[in-house]
Amino acid sequence: MKEFNEDGKAHVLYDDGDEETLDLSEENFKIINSTDEATDADGENTERSSGGNYEEYKRGGVVQNFLTRSLCERWRGELGPSRLTELAVSMQRKALLDTTMGNYGPKARRFILFCERDQRPWLPASEATVLLYIASLFEDGNIKSASLQPYLSAINNYHEDLRFPGPAKGRSVTRAVKGMATIQAELAVQEENIETQRTWLPAAHVRRVHEAALSLTPRSPEELQLLRAFTYVVVAFVTFGRPDTGTSLSRQHVHCGDSEFSVVLLKEKGRRHQLVKRRLCIPWKGVALLKELIERWEFHRDTAWNSSEKTQSDAYGLLPEDPKNFKASVANDWIGLALSELDCRPPEGGHFSAHSTRKGATTCARAVGVTMEKVCFLGGWSQFSSAVQHYIDPTALRDTDMDYYFAWLTWSQ
């Protein structure tokens, strides 16, 4: 420990050269002089673990240090205390440092963080967890199938080093890699024809939609459908929503509180298997007239249901004349209806689609100076993902309409 500050921050230098700053302000700890082992209040050794000490990693230890120490302690336990044992362990350690620093550790760390977020064991990890991890790497969008093997090898290596079977191999894993390659090839063809034409939705268009919705008092089913389309565009924009997420919202998970608008994302891509769902909150004072829009839509929607003889659906955007279940593609219809009504046209050579609200929100938020950390949180991207970059037009110029919807995200920066 090189330095310990009064605010509880400790600057730690590890034996293999790694450095780390730990926040110990809310931890119980004891500073000791020995660099070889740590003891608790009863004199029991707490430094030497049997491998897979998850709490040690969770307290902030660098993964490659943890895995290397675990392996060394395994050999100490098997070989017994002696001068030759320490020499043998030193050889293992030196050899490991060459690989863990540049490959083994960082890639193992990425898998461990995935398991932690998904609340799955990482030592030993199951083949099922590895299959989900491969799907996560594909979704992040920055790893090609041809570059996947080092990530799988890192998982197998630390398992086998600590005497567990490597879970990242076998027929199912091989098929997953092959399937990933096929899907990526298909997407590449689609992107050549479509992705380059898909345009982000400007905040100015969204504001026109917003104002039109506030002046619309629907007197027919067609006008109510238009109000729904207007509302969807604004809500999808301010929540960075994916089409399937927005069309699958339920009434019980959309809340209009005294100070904020919140949505629970039940069917968020890549997180549907997680028990705990993400909740996004937008303060009413952050986006002017958002509350008036939501209240107008909900009032007229509920009025339509009360006037019909049908049982009211739990789906947030469903109207009495709609089929019981939406397809995600209906978002394209709603956006098309809203923008065509106001003659909001895309630039030459481009077109608006259901993803245009998501691309527009990301581009506009970055243009007004919102941090990537907040953008990734709102959009549901991993902090490690480069996929978010495909949603940002770095040439977009800041304007007052962008500020209208996203400046509130910079207030605490």
Side-chain angles (χ1 to χ4, degrees):
M1 185 177 294
K2 296 179 64 176
E3 182 181 7
F4 181 76
N5 301 323
E6 293 182 358
D7 61 0
K9 299 292 180 61
H11 186 194
V12 180
L13 175 64
Y14 292 99
D15 292 343
D16 55 17
D18 276 343
E19 296 188 40
E20 183 178 22
T21 298
L22 302 177
D23 185 356
L24 303 178
S25 59
E26 297 183 359
E27 301 289 341
N28 294 320
F29 60 91
K30 178 180 180 181
I31 298 178
I32 59 175
N33 293 323
S34 172
T35 60
D36 295 325
E37 64 179 26
T39 58
D40 60 16
D42 298 323
E44 293 293 325
N45 187 300
T46 60
E47 174 67 17
R48 297 184 178 181
S49 69
S50 60
N53 187 339
Y54 176 78
E55 291 302 318
E56 179 178 349
Y57 163 73
K58 195 173 181 181
R59 287 197 296 269
V62 178
V63 173
Q64 53 260 41
N65 286 329
F66 165 68
L67 296 174
T68 303
R69 287 199 303 270
S70 296
L71 181 61
C72 291
E73 293 306 322
R74 168 199 150 189
W75 284 114
R76 284 194 178 102
E78 292 189 17
L79 299 175
S82 73
R83 179 182 60 81
L84 288 178
T85 292
E86 292 306 313
L87 179 58
V89 168
S90 177
M91 291 176 179
Q92 292 283 321
R93 186 182 184 87
K94 292 297 183 183
L96 277 170
L97 289 178
D98 292 337
T99 57
T100 59
M101 295 297 290
N103 187 334
Y104 181 12
K107 289 179 172 58
R109 174 179 174 79
R110 183 163 182 164
F111 176 68
I112 291 170
L113 289 176
F114 167 80
C115 293
E116 182 182 83
R117 288 193 298 269
D118 208 38
Q119 298 181 341
R120 290 175 169 270
W122 58 270
L123 186 65
S126 67
E127 184 181 50
T129 297
V130 174
L131 294 179
L132 290 175
Y133 178 57
I134 293 173
S136 172
L137 294 177
F138 166 78
E139 186 179 65
D140 286 346
N142 60 344
I143 296 176
K144 300 297 183 183
S145 60
S147 305
L148 193 59
Q149 189 54 49
Y151 292 85
L152 303 180
S153 296
I155 300 170
N156 290 329
N157 285 345
Y158 83 73
H159 274 78
E160 292 167 0
D161 281 343
L162 299 175
R163 294 204 165 174
F164 291 99
K169 52 188 175 183
R171 297 178 66 179
S172 295
V173 173
T174 300
R175 281 195 292 263
V177 176
K178 184 177 180 180
M180 179 176 175
T182 301
I183 295 174
Q184 287 180 337
E186 292 172 348
L187 290 177
V189 173
Q190 295 176 14
E191 288 174 359
E192 289 180 1
N193 299 323
I194 298 176
E195 182 62 27
T196 55
Q197 301 176 15
R198 189 164 61 193
T199 305
W200 58 274
L201 186 63
H205 286 357
V206 178
R207 194 163 181 182
R208 284 189 61 194
V209 169
H210 196 159
E211 292 171 352
L214 294 175
S215 63
L216 176 61
T217 301
R219 303 186 185 281
S220 67
E222 291 74 23
E223 289 183 342
L224 182 55
Q225 291 171 12
L226 181 59
L227 177 60
R228 173 177 61 189
F230 285 159
T231 305
Y232 173 81
V233 169
V234 177
V235 172
F237 188 71
V238 298
T239 60
F240 294 64
R242 292 184 175 93
D244 57 343
T245 304
T247 56
S248 63
L249 291 176
S250 67
R251 290 169 180 257
Q252 60 179 321
H253 292 101
V254 178
H255 302 283
C256 297
D258 294 334
S259 61
E260 66 183 16
F261 170 69
S262 67
V263 293
V264 177
L265 306 178
L266 286 182
K267 297 183 179 180
E268 191 174 17
K269 183 179 179 182
R271 294 182 170 86
R272 299 189 182 191
H273 60 282
Q274 295 183 1
L275 296 178
V276 179
K277 305 300 181 180
R278 290 201 315 133
R279 180 173 177 265
L280 297 184
C281 299
I282 300 175
W284 295 128
K285 64 180 181 180
V287 179
L289 302 179
L290 179 61
K291 184 177 183 180
E292 289 80 354
L293 171 66
I294 300 299
E295 289 178 343
R296 175 178 288 264
W297 154 246
E298 292 185 352
F299 171 78
H300 288 291
R301 177 204 60 192
D302 293 346
T303 299
W305 277 105
N306 293 335
S307 300
S308 72
E309 297 179 355
K310 297 181 180 180
T311 302
Q312 186 165 296
S313 169
D314 182 58
Y316 185 74
L318 200 71
L319 293 173
E321 62 272 16
D322 291 325
K324 291 184 179 180
N325 296 311
F326 284 137
K327 293 183 179 180
S329 59
V330 76
N332 282 310
D333 299 333
W334 293 349
I335 289 177
L337 174 61
L339 298 181
S340 62
E341 178 70 19
L342 302 176
D343 197 26
C344 295
R345 300 181 181 181
E348 188 72 25
H351 75 275
F352 292 132
S353 72
H355 274 280
S356 293
T357 52
R358 184 166 167 83
K359 289 173 72 93
T362 310
T363 292
C364 294
R366 287 296 290 157
V368 304
V370 179
T371 64
M372 282 299 296
E373 180 183 13
K374 290 183 179 180
V375 168
C376 287
F377 170 75
L378 287 165
W381 289 288
S382 164
Q383 295 293 323
F384 302 103
S385 174
S386 63
V388 63
Q389 299 297 335
H390 300 299
Y391 287 78
I392 300 173
D393 180 354
T395 66
L397 298 178
R398 182 174 186 172
D399 58 37
T400 55
D401 295 309
M402 294 177 178
D403 286 336
Y404 186 87
Y405 288 107
F406 299 113
W408 68 274
L409 286 163
T410 67
W411 291 348
S412 61
Q413 292 175 193

